[in-house]
Amino acid sequence: MTVSQFLRLFVLWACVPHFCCPELTFRRTPGLQQTTAESHAQRSDGKILHRQKRGWMWNQFFLLEEYTGSDYQYVGKLHSDQDKGDGSLKYILSGDGAGTLFIIDEKTGDIHATRRIDREEKAFYTLRAQAINRRTLRPVEPESEFVIKIHDINDNEPTFPEEIYTASVPEMSVVGTSVVQVTATDADDPSYGNSARVIYSILQGQPYFSVEPETGIIRTALPNMNRENKEQYQVVIQAKDMGGQMGGLSGTTTVNITLTDVNDNPPRFPQNTIHLRVLESSPVGTAVGSVKATDADTGKNAEVDYRIIDGDGTDMFDIITEKDTQEGIITVKKPLDYENRRLYTLKVEAENTHVDPRFYYLGPFKDTTIVKISIEDVDEPPVFSRSSYLFEVHEDIEVGTIIGTVMARDPDSTSSPIRFTLDRHTDLDRIFNIHSGNGSLYTSKPLDRELSQWHNLTVIAAEINNPKETTRVSVFVRILDVNDNAPQFAVFYDTFVCENARPGQKPLRNCLIQTISAVDKDDPLGGQKFFFSLAAVNPNFTVQDNEDNTARILTRKNGFNRHEISTYLLPVVISDNDYPIQSSTGTLTIRVCACDSQGNMQSCSAEALLLPAGLSTGALIAILLCIIILLVIVVLFAALKRQRKKEPLILSKEDIRDNIVSYNDEGGGEEDTQAFDIGTLRNPAAIEEKKLRRDIIPETLFIPRRTPTAPDNTDVRDFINERLKEHDLDPTAPPYDSLATYAYEGNDSVAESLSSLESGTTEGDQNYDYLREWGPRFNKLAEMYGGGESDKDA
């Protein structure tokens, strides 16, 4: 690069205004000569190409952002030593924004910006410049790269990431306690002047809070700030650039600060004395009332624990802390009695459960109050002397014997008389009764321990003056045993002996054929003890007592024959050893049976010898069952066949049609006395016997009614009227239409005959078209009788 080129470039750079005045450096290759600074390359055709390095070079241009002029903003000028000023060279610009944001004059090399540039969008642009021969389009200078750097101006105010901040700090905090830190950002270039240097200040919230100018940390500025006085604070913080100097841009944000609670307030009762009332009939655990101490704190700092620390009612009442409402619920601890005491006094204390040691100097964190509880009188039900009664009585006592007495009293001061009754739901058999005046229980029926050993009764005591006030008590009656039952065989014994027994078979003489035992419904204190003996001397069998409540039956002879005697009845006397001694005679049935060689029973009855050898008892039972099943099938078949024959004439009320019922039965005329006895009409004095109709089967048979005999001079008309009236009033009259003919004709009628039997002989034609006007139900009749001339022709 020649000296003239350097001077021209320096003048061009000096003409551009620079605010930050960066140093523009020009680089020149040491010892660079256009003839020596060459790079060699060989083409494919063998010719050597020579490339010279550029003879000019620079680092960067500077351009102010946010240009507000009407013309394009001048950036700089490119010039080559090869430019003779004759317009033979052409300058070309490429890179970031070339041709759109940055344009170059092809002849002069002047570079301009076409629009306003924002450094916050892009801080620099990298471009490449080259000079070429306009005619040959060959480069006369190598391509050079340069940078256009955008100079910053203070056009962005500081901004906070949040419009509203929320923070909290404990109340009663010391001065300088950190609350929260806010930070603002400035989009300007921090390396260029003070455009991005932010200083914080407080616009609202003094004198309670302060802010550090450099860090934006908000701190408390007043001591002992009390949440109970003021809980919410709003602080406005300003962030200003240019180091806070005048002319700098600023932004603000709002910080809502809440004072959180600490336990700095003790609980306090609003009253020194609290009065409560409770009924003496209130059961244990009943809530009498509540007390509450107020605490200005919140949450766990306001939690209070209640307890009774003194008073004459500490044994009668208790207090429970209700966590949800922070109230002390006073409850009944023991049953109350208005007649014994009418007023109790309690001293109740309320104390915080979470005390902060830093605020002990504000204590003590507890308070006390006096609670007076008045007992109100109520009409109480009677009170029994015991919670339950147990009476024991022997089962052989006489009816009407008193077994025990229950006692009750009226606890009220009026002491009303008591009336006793027995709840019959607990004595359904009415075995017991009670004296209503003195509560004495006595028997009304005999007792039997073997039927029921215990009786659980309920006695009701009620005031005579107020029967609604009642009390119940359980009475347990235990029936003691008396030896009133004789012992009996424990089970039914099926005993047998083998006929014509041989050695090794039963029975031989003194052979055991049965072991018997007994049971007794009684339950003596010393236990059961039975004695067994024969009612009379028996030549065939004997009883040997084992003295352990069992006995053995032994044979006394050999050679039993079931054809002679097939069954022996052996009376055995069983007695106990209690007082009075009870005994009974049980008969033991001993059968003589055929046995095998081992002494096992095969058959015991003489009739068994007559049964066919090949037909067992199971086969006989099977044959009998088959016969019964066949009989049942026959009966069911006959019943179904009979049911099918009986069908109604009209199946439904809606099934209205012409029906012709043929009975194929011709009456016998006047000689037929079964259908109707006409002789009664001829002789009113005759006694008629009711006869059943033969054309239907009556569903129910009624007892015939006898009608009184009419006098001889009774007119037939009166007789008929009486019979009509009798039929009308007869509740047993059948529910079917009947036609009764009495062979009596009255006087002539002025209306003459109303019968339609002679209508066919009239010469005039009758018109039945009016039947169609009566509705769809009469259409069938209209078709049958309203045919007109066509019907006659037919």
Side-chain angles (χ1 to χ4, degrees):
M1 181 179 293
T2 62
V3 176
S4 60
Q5 288 178 331
F6 178 83
L7 291 176
R8 284 196 298 270
L9 290 175
F10 181 81
V11 172
L12 176 63
W13 175 82
C15 292
V16 179
H18 303 280
F19 290 91
C20 58
C21 299
E23 181 181 359
L24 178 62
T25 59
F26 293 90
R27 294 185 303 171
R28 184 171 182 177
T29 304
L32 178 63
Q33 300 291 332
Q34 292 184 358
T35 59
T36 60
E38 295 180 351
S39 60
H40 304 275
Q42 186 174 4
R43 295 197 317 181
S44 58
D45 55 2
K47 294 182 178 181
I48 298 177
L49 296 177
H50 301 277
R51 179 189 174 196
Q52 288 184 337
K53 292 187 177 180
R54 62 182 180 271
W56 42 272
M57 181 179 179
W58 58 93
N59 285 337
Q60 57 187 2
F61 288 123
F62 295 94
L63 184 66
L64 285 177
E65 67 170 336
E66 303 295 341
Y67 174 72
T68 58
S70 59
D71 298 333
Y72 288 165
Q73 186 178 6
Y74 183 74
V75 178
K77 184 180 181 65
L78 296 179
H79 188 75
S80 175
D81 292 342
Q82 303 296 329
D83 190 357
K84 304 299 183 181
D86 55 0
S88 61
L89 295 182
K90 179 181 179 181
Y91 294 95
I92 300 175
L93 188 66
S94 63
D96 293 341
T100 56
L101 179 59
F102 300 102
I103 59 176
I104 188 171
D105 191 328
E106 296 179 353
K107 296 181 179 180
T108 63
D110 293 330
I111 301 174
H112 292 82
T114 60
R115 60 179 175 82
R116 189 168 63 178
I117 299 175
D118 189 358
R119 189 200 67 84
E120 284 70 35
E121 293 181 2
K122 194 175 179 67
F124 61 91
Y125 296 86
T126 302
L127 294 98
R128 294 179 298 278
Q130 190 177 31
I132 63 175
N133 189 290
R134 185 182 298 275
R135 185 167 50 86
T136 63
L137 299 179
R138 296 186 62 181
V140 297
E141 292 285 354
E143 187 180 55
S144 178
E145 184 178 89
F146 66 96
V147 175
I148 299 177
K149 186 175 182 181
I150 310 301
H151 267 304
D152 182 46
I153 64 173
N154 190 18
D155 60 342
N156 293 278
E157 71 276 1
T159 58
F160 291 93
E162 301 288 342
E163 294 183 1
I164 298 177
Y165 289 84
T166 301
S168 62
V169 63
E171 62 174 335
M172 309 297 290
S173 297
V174 297
V175 175
T177 301
S178 175
V179 180
V180 69
Q181 182 179 13
V182 294
T183 303
T185 58
D186 196 319
D188 294 325
D189 188 359
S191 63
Y192 181 73
N194 293 326
S195 299
R197 184 187 173 196
V198 178
I199 297 297
Y200 301 93
S201 62
I202 184 168
L203 301 182
Q204 178 183 330
Q206 294 175 332
Y208 306 103
F209 299 94
S210 63
V211 63
E212 293 183 358
E214 299 292 338
T215 61
I217 297 176
I218 302 175
R219 300 182 182 273
T220 58
L222 283 181
N224 300 328
M225 286 192 295
N226 198 338
R227 184 196 65 84
E228 287 72 32
N229 295 333
K230 186 176 181 180
E231 185 177 3
Q232 299 287 341
Y233 294 87
Q234 189 175 73
V235 179
V236 178
I237 301 298
Q238 175 184 265
K240 191 174 184 180
D241 59 10
M242 299 298 292
Q245 298 177 4
M246 185 178 296
L249 303 179
S250 64
T252 61
T253 186
T254 301
V255 182
N256 293 326
I257 302 176
T258 302
L259 294 184
T260 58
D261 184 57
V262 297
N263 192 5
D264 59 340
N265 294 279
R268 290 289 180 263
F269 283 104
Q271 297 175 349
N272 294 328
T273 304
I274 300 174
H275 295 274
L276 299 175
R277 295 179 179 273
V278 62
L279 298 176
E280 65 170 334
S281 60
S282 300
V284 175
T286 301
V288 178
S290 63
V291 295
K292 185 174 184 179
T294 59
D295 194 324
D297 298 322
T298 61
K300 69 176 184 179
N301 297 319
E303 292 181 0
V304 179
D305 184 35
Y306 297 90
R307 60 178 178 269
I308 300 174
I309 60 175
D310 198 5
D312 54 11
T314 55
D315 294 337
M316 305 300 296
F317 298 94
D318 198 0
I319 190 168
I320 302 172
T321 301
E322 179 62 40
K323 297 298 183 182
D324 295 335
T325 61
Q326 289 298 305
E327 293 180 334
I329 309 299
I330 298 177
T331 60
V332 178
K333 189 176 181 180
K334 291 183 179 180
L336 305 174
D337 191 354
Y338 173 82
E339 287 72 26
N340 291 337
R341 187 157 191 164
R342 304 182 182 182
L343 181 65
Y344 293 90
T345 302
L346 304 175
K347 187 175 183 180
V348 178
E349 180 184 74
E351 183 179 9
N352 281 137
T353 56
H354 300 86
V355 180
D356 194 336
R358 296 176 300 171
F359 304 105
Y360 277 152
Y361 66 94
L362 299 176
F365 288 86
K366 58 185 177 180
D367 194 16
T368 59
T369 187
I370 301 299
V371 180
K372 294 185 177 181
I373 302 176
S374 300
I375 310 301
E376 296 184 349
D377 188 26
V378 295
D379 191 3
E380 298 177 86
V383 178
F384 284 95
S385 60
R386 300 180 188 175
S387 59
S388 62
Y389 293 86
L390 173 62
F391 299 139
E392 293 183 346
V393 60
H394 287 88
E395 61 177 325
D396 60 345
I397 62 172
E398 296 181 359
V399 174
T401 302
I402 296 176
I403 63 174
T405 302
V406 296
M407 292 182 293
R409 64 178 181 85
D410 184 7
D412 297 323
S413 57
T414 57
S415 186
S416 174
I418 305 300
R419 180 176 180 272
F420 298 92
T421 56
L422 193 61
D423 188 355
R424 289 302 177 186
H425 292 90
T426 60
D427 184 28
L428 298 177
D429 296 332
R430 295 183 176 269
I431 300 176
F432 301 93
N433 211 337
I434 190 170
H435 193 281
S436 60
N438 57 20
S440 298
L441 275 171
Y442 59 92
T443 59
S444 58
K445 290 183 179 180
L447 303 178
D448 190 353
R449 189 200 68 87
E450 286 70 37
L451 294 179
S452 180
Q453 186 176 356
W454 285 91
H455 295 274
N456 300 328
L457 309 177
T458 299
V459 176
I460 304 173
E463 297 181 9
I464 294 179
N465 298 334
N466 187 8
K468 294 183 179 179
E469 295 295 336
T470 61
T471 305
R472 295 170 174 261
V473 70
S474 298
V475 179
F476 306 101
V477 181
R478 181 182 180 184
I479 310 301
L480 301 179
D481 185 42
V482 174
N483 192 25
D484 57 348
N485 292 279
Q488 298 176 351
F489 282 131
V491 295
F492 174 77
Y493 294 101
D494 185 12
T495 307
F496 69 93
V497 295
C498 295
E499 65 173 347
N500 301 323
R502 295 184 296 275
Q505 294 181 345
K506 296 187 300 180
L508 297 174
R509 189 167 184 174
N510 294 328
C511 181
L512 174 65
I513 62 172
Q514 185 69 60
T515 300
I516 60 175
S517 62
V519 293
D520 195 337
K521 295 181 180 179
D522 296 323
D523 188 14
L525 296 177
Q528 301 283 2
K529 180 63 178 177
F530 303 124
F531 302 96
F532 300 88
S533 62
L534 293 179
V537 177
N538 192 293
N540 300 313
F541 304 97
T542 184
V543 175
Q544 183 178 352
D545 196 337
N546 297 328
E547 298 183 357
D548 59 354
N549 293 338
T550 62
R552 298 185 297 172
I553 306 298
L554 304 175
T555 60
R556 299 186 63 180
K557 71 171 187 176
N558 297 330
F560 291 93
N561 192 336
R562 59 175 168 165
H563 297 287
E564 296 177 359
I565 300 177
S566 61
T567 303
Y568 293 89
L569 301 178
L570 181 64
V572 179
V573 178
I574 310 172
S575 58
D576 55 24
N577 66 336
D578 205 357
Y579 179 81
I581 295 177
Q582 300 288 341
S583 63
S584 65
T585 301
T587 301
L588 192 65
T589 302
I590 303 175
R591 297 181 296 166
V592 180
C593 302
C595 301
D596 56 12
S597 60
Q598 302 298 326
N600 299 320
M601 179 183 64
Q602 290 183 335
S603 61
C604 293
S605 59
E607 290 79 2
L609 299 175
L610 304 178
L611 292 176
L615 195 60
S616 63
T617 304
L620 292 175
I621 295 175
I623 293 173
L624 183 60
L625 289 176
C626 292
I627 294 174
I628 293 174
I629 293 173
L630 289 176
L631 290 176
V632 171
I633 294 174
V634 171
V635 172
L636 290 177
F637 180 81
L640 291 175
K641 186 174 182 180
R642 186 175 181 182
Q643 184 70 21
R644 291 176 180 175
K645 289 183 178 180
K646 187 176 180 180
E647 296 180 357
L649 296 177
I650 299 179
L651 299 177
S652 172
K653 293 182 179 180
E654 302 297 332
D655 190 10
I656 303 174
R657 65 186 73 175
D658 294 338
N659 294 284
I660 299 177
V661 181
S662 177
Y663 292 95
N664 294 326
D665 186 18
E666 184 177 358
E670 294 182 357
E671 300 300 329
D672 187 4
T673 58
Q674 297 296 326
F676 184 78
D677 189 3
I678 199 171
T680 304
L681 294 178
R682 298 173 180 172
N683 185 8
I687 299 176
E688 179 191 45
E689 295 183 358
K690 272 188 175 288
K691 296 180 174 57
L692 299 177
R693 293 179 56 173
R694 298 190 304 168
D695 54 343
I696 64 171
I697 299 175
E699 297 292 337
T700 306
L701 297 178
F702 299 94
I703 301 175
R705 298 179 56 188
R706 292 288 183 177
T707 56
T709 304
D712 295 340
N713 57 355
T714 302
D715 187 45
V716 176
R717 178 187 301 175
D718 297 336
F719 170 76
I720 293 177
N721 290 334
E722 290 178 1
R723 295 304 303 274
L724 289 174
K725 183 177 180 181
E726 180 183 349
H727 277 280
D728 292 338
L729 300 177
D730 187 8
T732 63
Y736 42 74
D737 297 332
S738 300
L739 177 64
T741 304
Y742 294 97
Y744 178 83
E745 185 175 359
N747 297 328
D748 294 338
S749 173
V750 295
E752 298 182 351
S753 176
L754 299 178
S755 174
S756 62
L757 296 178
E758 298 178 359
S759 61
T761 60
T762 59
E763 296 179 357
D765 294 331
Q766 296 185 12
N767 186 10
Y768 293 95
D769 293 335
Y770 64 91
L771 294 175
R772 300 182 183 275
E773 301 175 359
W774 289 7
R777 295 187 177 183
F778 296 89
N779 289 339
K780 187 65 177 179
L781 291 175
E783 293 176 1
M784 294 173 62
Y785 296 100
E789 294 296 328
S790 61
D791 292 340
K792 287 186 178 183
D793 296 340

